[in-house]
Amino acid sequence: MATGESFRSLSFGFRISHSYISLIIKETLSVLRTKLVPIFLPDANTIDFKVKAAEFSYKWNYPNCILAIDGKHVWIRSPINSGSLFHNYKDYFSTVLLAMVDANYKFIVVDIGSYGKEGDSGIFFKSELGKQILGGIFRFPEDSALPGSNIIVPHASREDDSKKKFNYRLSRDRRVTENAFGLLSQIFRVFYQPMNINITTCDDLILVACCLHNMLRDAYMENNKRPFYELDSEQTEPTNNMLSMTRGGGFYNIEGFEVRDRFKHFFNNEGSVSWQ
């Protein structure tokens, strides 16, 4: 996981046959999944999302946001007899890691194993996570001044300055997932090349990597131990390196538009920041 070396390469280094190494890895990942998931990826309903929202508000200037959600295509060798199921729009074979990430780059909820040919929205709607959210089972905090129980999408128009500000603030929050995926890949170099293992073992590897990533994030925050609400109010001005959002489309309900407009109004008035 750390180096991304092939089984044959490892067999030379450890003087163990590559076939036996594959068995060791398969069994080790299975045990790690059983032991680590309850510790580092517990049931989301046990998490205090008001604390998560407070962290997002402080660190990313976005109130009433509990988690950021996005998908990552994990490069794999095409499984036997899978046809084009795992072939994605980027022209390689992949399985998808759909993740909800908190303000500290920790994975809170993950869905692993969808076909690479599927889009993020399709994976979300069919996942257990999506079914819980859309079915009202997911335990969101109670509504506060700005309703926070909707999934917000950017404005398609780029002409209005107020919409640009909203898109920037939303994109800044969405970038949290990209940062988390980047940190995951930097530590576990196996994500930088195609995984030539059984798809079930691959799912275990991704899940274990997410758990170990959370463990490392906990250690990092412990070493820099100061609660976010005790930090100085003065924050570093971010670099304005966000590109304008491309025009989007789709079918969204009227409630989503209303919530988005409320956020837009908030970001351009009482929720404005000096550096934007």
Side-chain angles (χ1 to χ4, degrees), residues 53-164:
E55 290 174 345
F56 255 109
S57 181
Y58 177 81
K59 293 187 174 183
W60 301 100
N61 308 112
Y62 205 108
N64 284 17
C65 175
I66 57 173
L67 301 169
I69 184 170
D70 200 1
K72 173 180 174 60
H73 286 272
V74 178
W75 195 3
I76 63 171
R77 296 283 186 184
S78 177
I80 297 175
N81 298 324
S82 65
S84 61
L85 288 174
F86 291 92
H87 192 265
N88 64 34
Y89 70 97
K90 298 180 180 180
D91 203 26
Y92 63 83
F93 293 94
S94 66
T95 186
V96 179
L97 162 62
L98 183 70
M100 294 181 78
V101 180
D102 71 6
N104 298 308
Y105 306 139
K106 288 180 60 178
F107 295 105
I108 304 302
V109 182
V110 297
D111 182 88
I112 301 167
S114 294
Y115 298 129
K117 73 170 188 176
E118 299 178 278
D120 286 348
S121 60
I123 294 170
F124 172 77
F125 286 127
K126 77 167 191 176
S127 69
E128 286 302 315
L129 167 63
K131 291 176 182 177
Q132 288 184 19
I133 291 177
L134 297 174
I137 302 173
F138 197 83
R139 190 176 57 82
F140 284 104
E142 293 181 2
D143 288 352
S144 55
L146 289 174
S149 59
N150 297 79
I151 295 175
I152 311 297
V153 297
H155 278 284
S157 173
R158 292 172 286 172
E159 307 300 326
D160 191 324
D161 187 61
S162 64
K163 292 181 180 179
K164 286 183 180 180

Side-chain angles (χ1 to χ4, degrees), residues 2-218:
T3 64
E5 290 186 66
S6 67
F7 292 166
R8 290 192 178 275
S9 175
L10 291 171
S11 70
F12 286 111
F14 291 94
R15 300 296 189 268
I16 302 174
S17 70
H18 69 275
S19 59
Y20 193 58
I21 286 178
S22 68
L23 292 176
I24 292 173
I25 290 176
K26 180 179 179 180
E27 292 182 9
T28 303
L29 287 173
S30 179
V31 172
L32 286 174
R33 173 176 181 159
T34 302
K35 299 295 185 181
L36 295 181
V37 169
I39 301 173
F40 297 107
L41 281 171
D43 185 350
N45 288 325
T46 64
I47 297 171
D48 188 347
F49 284 126
K50 289 185 178 180
V51 173
K52 296 298 181 186
E55 290 174 345
F56 255 109
S57 181
Y58 177 81
K59 293 187 174 183
W60 301 100
N61 308 112
Y62 205 108
N64 284 17
C65 175
I66 57 173
L67 301 169
I69 184 170
D70 200 1
K72 173 180 174 60
H73 286 272
V74 178
W75 195 3
I76 63 171
R77 296 283 186 184
S78 177
I80 297 175
N81 298 324
S82 65
S84 61
L85 288 174
F86 291 92
H87 192 265
N88 64 34
Y89 70 97
K90 298 180 180 180
D91 203 26
Y92 63 83
F93 293 94
S94 66
T95 186
V96 179
L97 162 62
L98 183 70
M100 294 181 78
V101 180
D102 71 6
N104 298 308
Y105 306 139
K106 288 180 60 178
F107 295 105
I108 304 302
V109 182
V110 297
D111 182 88
I112 301 167
S114 294
Y115 298 129
K117 73 170 188 176
E118 299 178 278
D120 286 348
S121 60
I123 294 170
F124 172 77
F125 286 127
K126 77 167 191 176
S127 69
E128 286 302 315
L129 167 63
K131 291 176 182 177
Q132 288 184 19
I133 291 177
L134 297 174
I137 302 173
F138 197 83
R139 190 176 57 82
F140 284 104
E142 293 181 2
D143 288 352
S144 55
L146 289 174
S149 59
N150 297 79
I151 295 175
I152 311 297
V153 297
H155 278 284
S157 173
R158 292 172 286 172
E159 307 300 326
D160 191 324
D161 187 61
S162 64
K163 292 181 180 179
K164 286 183 180 180
K165 288 183 179 180
F166 170 83
N167 284 352
Y168 172 81
R169 296 281 281 276
L170 178 62
S171 298
R172 191 164 177 259
D173 254 19
R174 293 171 67 188
R175 193 170 54 183
V176 170
T177 52
E178 298 297 339
N179 293 346
F181 293 146
L183 290 169
L184 182 72
S185 300
Q186 281 293 96
I187 299 299
F188 303 105
R189 313 292 284 187
V190 69
F191 288 99
Y192 281 137
Q193 55 268 315
M195 298 184 190
N196 191 16
I197 53 179
N198 180 277
I199 192 64
T200 302
T201 306
C202 182
D203 291 348
D204 286 347
L205 187 151
I206 297 170
L207 187 56
V208 169
C210 290
C211 291
L212 294 176
H213 168 89
N214 284 356
M215 182 185 72
L216 294 173
R217 293 303 301 168
D218 285 340

